[in-house]
């Protein structure tokens, strides 16, 4: 007797229900051998059968698909949303009939397997079903996602107008205030969703996307630091405006590339100086965000010069976005490698304290990381978990390589599956932001 005999016994009993009248000898024969197999397996305690992604497991051992009845029972579980089945040692004829009957019922969408079992007084059978995401909940989530994307694109457009205004001599940042606090508010409510937005990228206006993404990453750092709301608004605005000086140069003129690189901090500070602000931070950040703690970087300064904390924070977010979104000329680093690089640069190129805090805020596998799991499925990290190694992953491809179109999230904190490697989205032709 073995595990697979319980499964083939169950398959036989289910078939007997469908084929034979109760009085037929084959009917009782099927049930007798099913019950005997269960008794054998429950001699030492309850018998548990789990269904996971098309396969049946007993403990953590997968049942061979070619063994008798396994495929039909796996299908029966799948179509009825059954995740696990527990049979206790008191399992008897009534339980066996009830279970076989319920597995023979048509798997209509509103079939309630647990209720059907309890109606039949099956006391030694316990079934747990996969929680169906409530349709309303799903619609609400979709609605919020659309709203977040709209917010992001409106922010891009507003930023574009503000930069044009500043470039033509204007001195009004008022349009930015609203969306900095909008993004901030959403950041508090759902940090993962906002971090997901930073993986969006337009084919044009790379500079605007860069500014907005640097703001999002900087806010994540500021939030982790525990800055009060007021400080966060100024920090966010500073991050958003850090490259404003680039607007004074012609981006696609190769002759201007080097002057733009070296001069945009100074030019940006001059632009922001015109705008009367209570807080000098945005101007300082524009001026200082390419300064390194080892006295490298630019503009030149006294060796005793210490950059504003916000400048040191923006420098890190700026570096991270440049590493993960380097533009078409360079190969992007996957988010996990970019975090490692930022940590390595802490102390020389970047501020050592803020780099550690930044890594802490984004996690080992930042939101947007495409990962391969130990069961060979592939998915995108959608939110960090308590355990930095066990985030929540949204499946892109199942364990057989088939694309997953329905939203299916796996919380790695639960169960045995873990991350095996991070893969580059290009290698699988996956648009990560589509998943977030
Ligand atoms: Fe810059
Ligand atoms: Fe930048």
């Amino acid at each position: 007797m073995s595990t697979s005999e319980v499964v083939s016994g169950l398959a036989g009993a289910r078939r007997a229900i469908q084929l034979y009248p109760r009085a037929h000898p084959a009917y009782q024969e099927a049930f007798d051998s099913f019950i005997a197999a269960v008794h054998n397996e429950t001699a030492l305690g309850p018998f548990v059968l789990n269904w996971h992604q098309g396969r049946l497991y007993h403990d953590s051992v997968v049942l061979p698909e070619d063994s008798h009845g396994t495929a039909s029972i796996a299908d029966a579980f799948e179509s009825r949303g059954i995740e696990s089945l527990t049979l206790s040692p008191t399992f008897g004829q009534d339980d066996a009939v009830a279970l076989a009957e319920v597995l023979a019922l048509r798997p209509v969408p509103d079939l309630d397997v647990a209720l059907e079992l309890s109606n039949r007084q099956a006391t030694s059978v316990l079934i747990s079903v996969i929680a169906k995401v409530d349709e309303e909940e799903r619609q609400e989530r979709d609605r919020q996602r659309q709203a977040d994307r709209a917010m992001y694109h409106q922010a891009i457009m507003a930023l574009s107008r503000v930069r044009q205004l500043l470039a033509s001599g204007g001195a009004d940042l008022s349009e930015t205030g609203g969306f900095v606090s909008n993004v901030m508010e959403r950041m508090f409510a759902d940090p993962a969703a906002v971090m997901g937005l930073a993986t969006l990228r337009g084919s044009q206006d790379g500079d605007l996307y860069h500014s907005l993404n640097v703001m999002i990453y900087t806010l994540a750092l500021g939030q982790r630091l525990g800055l009060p709301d007021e400080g966060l608004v100024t920090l966010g605005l500073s991050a958003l405006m850090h490259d404003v000086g680039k607007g004074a140069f012609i981006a696609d003129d190769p002759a201007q590339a080097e002057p733009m690189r070296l001069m945009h901090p100074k030019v940006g500070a001059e632009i922001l100086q015109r705008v009367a602000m209570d807080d000098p931070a945005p101007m300082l950040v524009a001026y200082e965000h390419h300064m390194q703690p080892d006295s490298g970087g630019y503009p030149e300064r006294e060796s005793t010069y210490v950059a504003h904390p916000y400048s040191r924070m923006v420098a890190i977010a700026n570096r991270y976005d440049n590493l993960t979104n380097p533009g078409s000329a360079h190969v992007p680093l996957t988010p996990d490698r970019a975090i490692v690089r930022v940590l390595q640069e802490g102390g020389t190129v970047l501020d050592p304290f803020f780099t550690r805090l930044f890594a802490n805020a984004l996690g080992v596998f930042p939101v947007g990381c495409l990962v391969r799991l130990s069961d060979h499925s592939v998915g995108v990290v959608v939110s960090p978990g308590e355990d930095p190694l066990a985030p929540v992953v949204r499946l892109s491809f199942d364990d057989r390589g088939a694309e997953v179109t329905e939203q299916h999230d796996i919380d790695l904190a639960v169960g045995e599956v873990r991350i095996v490697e991070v893969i580059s989205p290009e290698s699988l032709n996956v648009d990560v932001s589509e998943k977030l």
Side-chain angles (χ1 to χ4, degrees), residues 144 148 181-194 223:
Q144 187 60 60
D148 282 346
S181 25
N182 282 349
V183 171
M184 225 179 77
E185 217 168 90
R186 282 293 297 144
M187 192 94 188
F188 282 123
D190 189 351
V194 178
Q223 203 178 2

Side-chain angles (χ1 to χ4, degrees), residues 242-243 246 264 289-290 318:
H242 78 282
D243 275 338
K246 287 190 177 175
H264 77 271
H289 70 276
H290 287 288
N318 179 59

Side-chain angles (χ1 to χ4, degrees), residues 245-259:
K246 287 190 177 175
F249 298 86
I250 297 165
D252 20 318
D253 179 0
Q256 294 204 17
E258 197 54 13

Side-chain angles (χ1 to χ4, degrees), residues 144-153 197 200 433-434 436:
Q144 187 60 60
R145 186 167 176 261
Q146 297 298 335
D148 282 346
R149 289 185 165 218
M151 171 187 79
Y152 186 83
H153 290 294
L197 290 176
L200 290 172
S433 61
E434 270 305 305
L436 295 164

